[in-house]
Amino acid sequence: MGRQPCCDKLGVKKGPWTAEEDKKLINFILTNGQCCWRAVPKLAGLLRCGKSCRLRWTNYLRPDLKRGLLTEDEEQLVIDLHARLGNRWSKIAARLPGRTDNEIKNHWNTHIKKKLAKMGIDPVTHEPLHKQAAQDSSSTITALPESDRGGYQSLETDSQINCEENSSPPEHSSGDELRGQGGYSDEDPLMSSLWGDEIIPLVDASWKFPSAENEYYSNVGVTAGWEDNCEWLLDYQALGIEELVFGSVDIAAESSEKL
DNA sequence: AAACATTGCAACCGCTCTAAT
DNA sequence: CATTAGAGCGGTTGCAATGTT
């Protein structure tokens, strides 16, 4: 038996999200938390599939998202992690608070790839393009001439990344395959934390939890931050607008009572 | 100023993984 | 243990914005 589509294609809206839809989704999540995504559109009064809602939330609406280009440090970390993990964007994103896998993936494809190519580094293998054939036994980063490395320096100064790990495209190996096979050691704090559930941000000492400055929330009419996440909602309610904008709350409440 | 090319990002698609039954 | 449903991930696409001719 084939799998059912994640949502009924008929009557499901696609394409760019409107501010109205964003408000509904934000409101629903702030009120009810992230639960069953499949049920979210119905409960929130959206004509979207759950998958689309999840994507919109995680990639764009989440209040803890940073916006704007990646900083030098972040970019460096992405390069470094990509050398180890390959295209496992979610794992990479987990190391950069406020950044999404989609954002990092896009940044990689549009900026970093070109940057590395310019530096003569193969963005897939992280090995110098002109020397690749001869590089079987040496590590990527140390093989680069100092002048070409620019910011391209591993966060790890020793050879925690050994040549075996770099000799094959990382995306062909799953984490479980790599783990414990000598590609790295579980004793490596970075790698063990990467594979573990615990997320220990490496970057971002300067980043603060967004609050009222959150640009997008301001744009869609959400003026408060996450900590006081319902203040703006209460403001709307005080103004009597919730019927207009957040009618979904009642729908959600009703529906969750039924569940 | 207009036409065309390029870039960057949001969103979709299809697949895999995992938990529940 | 097999099947199913739901969530998550990575690749890809579409399109608006921007740059170039």
Side-chain angles (χ1 to χ4, degrees):
Chain A
M1 185 191 280
R3 251 187 83 175
Q4 286 185 339
C6 75
C7 51
D8 182 8
K9 299 277 181 190
L10 291 172
V12 173
K13 195 182 166 202
K14 287 164 74 172
W17 281 63
T18 64
E20 187 76 5
E21 289 176 309
D22 284 346
K23 280 180 192 172
K24 284 184 178 178
L25 183 58
I26 292 166
N27 177 63
F28 179 81
I29 301 292
L30 292 183
T31 314
N32 300 283
Q34 293 176 60
C35 58
C36 169
W37 284 112
R38 192 180 166 90
V40 165
K42 199 175 178 182
L43 299 178
L46 290 162
L47 295 173
R48 297 274 181 174
C49 78
K51 209 171 176 177
S52 181
C53 293
R54 182 180 61 81
L55 219 62
R56 182 65 178 170
W57 174 257
T58 55
N59 287 337
Y60 206 75
L61 297 176
R62 258 169 47 198
D64 58 332
L65 286 181
K66 281 186 196 175
R67 298 197 177 274
L69 287 174
L70 271 72
T71 65
E72 283 288 319
D73 280 351
E74 287 174 321
E75 200 172 291
Q76 191 50 52
L77 182 58
V78 170
I79 293 169
D80 203 52
L81 291 170
H82 186 273
R84 294 157 169 266
L85 299 167
N87 297 353
R88 299 221 278 288
W89 305 114
S90 59
K91 283 279 180 191
I92 294 173
R95 310 296 306 179
L96 288 101
R99 301 295 187 186
T100 69
D101 53 353
N102 205 38
E103 188 180 11
I104 291 170
K105 181 172 60 183
N106 280 335
H107 191 77
W108 177 269
N109 287 327
T110 56
H111 294 100
I112 302 179
K113 250 182 172 176
K114 292 172 192 167
K115 207 170 172 178
L116 290 182
K118 239 180 180 176
M119 290 161 63
I121 299 164
D122 186 327
V124 177
T125 63
H126 291 254
E127 294 188 8
L129 286 165
H130 59 290
K131 288 190 192 172
Q132 238 172 30
Q135 285 302 316
D136 288 347
S137 60
S138 61
S139 109
T140 303
I141 294 164
T142 51
L144 292 172
E146 197 68 44
S147 59
D148 285 343
R149 279 152 101 180
Y152 195 91
Q153 278 187 321
S154 171
L155 293 176
E156 293 70 33
T157 51
D158 57 13
S159 8
Q160 288 167 350
I161 311 170
N162 72 18
C163 47
E164 285 166 38
E165 188 175 335
N166 281 335
S167 61
S168 62
E171 45 268 88
H172 296 310
S173 312
S174 77
D176 290 340
E177 285 161 352
L178 279 172
R179 199 207 281 260
Q181 280 190 2
Y184 65 90
S185 159
D186 276 344
E187 289 166 13
D188 179 337
L190 172 61
M191 295 315 287
S192 53
S193 71
L194 277 170
W195 299 118
D197 291 334
E198 192 183 359
I199 302 303
I200 306 167
L202 288 180
V203 169
D204 213 20
S206 64
W207 182 69
K208 293 182 297 186
F209 207 84
S211 61
E213 306 93 68
N214 187 309
E215 195 181 315
Y216 184 78
Y217 276 29
S218 300
N219 290 341
V220 296
V222 179
T223 54
W226 185 252
E227 304 99 313
D228 42 5
N229 59 21
C230 285
E231 259 183 45
W232 57 271
L233 175 60
L234 293 172
D235 288 341
Y236 273 105
Q237 289 172 336
L239 292 168
I241 304 175
E242 82 279 10
E243 288 293 326
L244 177 66
V245 178
F246 298 131
S248 56
V249 178
D250 295 328
I251 298 168
E254 279 174 26
S255 306
S256 55
E257 276 174 20
K258 287 175 192 168
L259 291 176

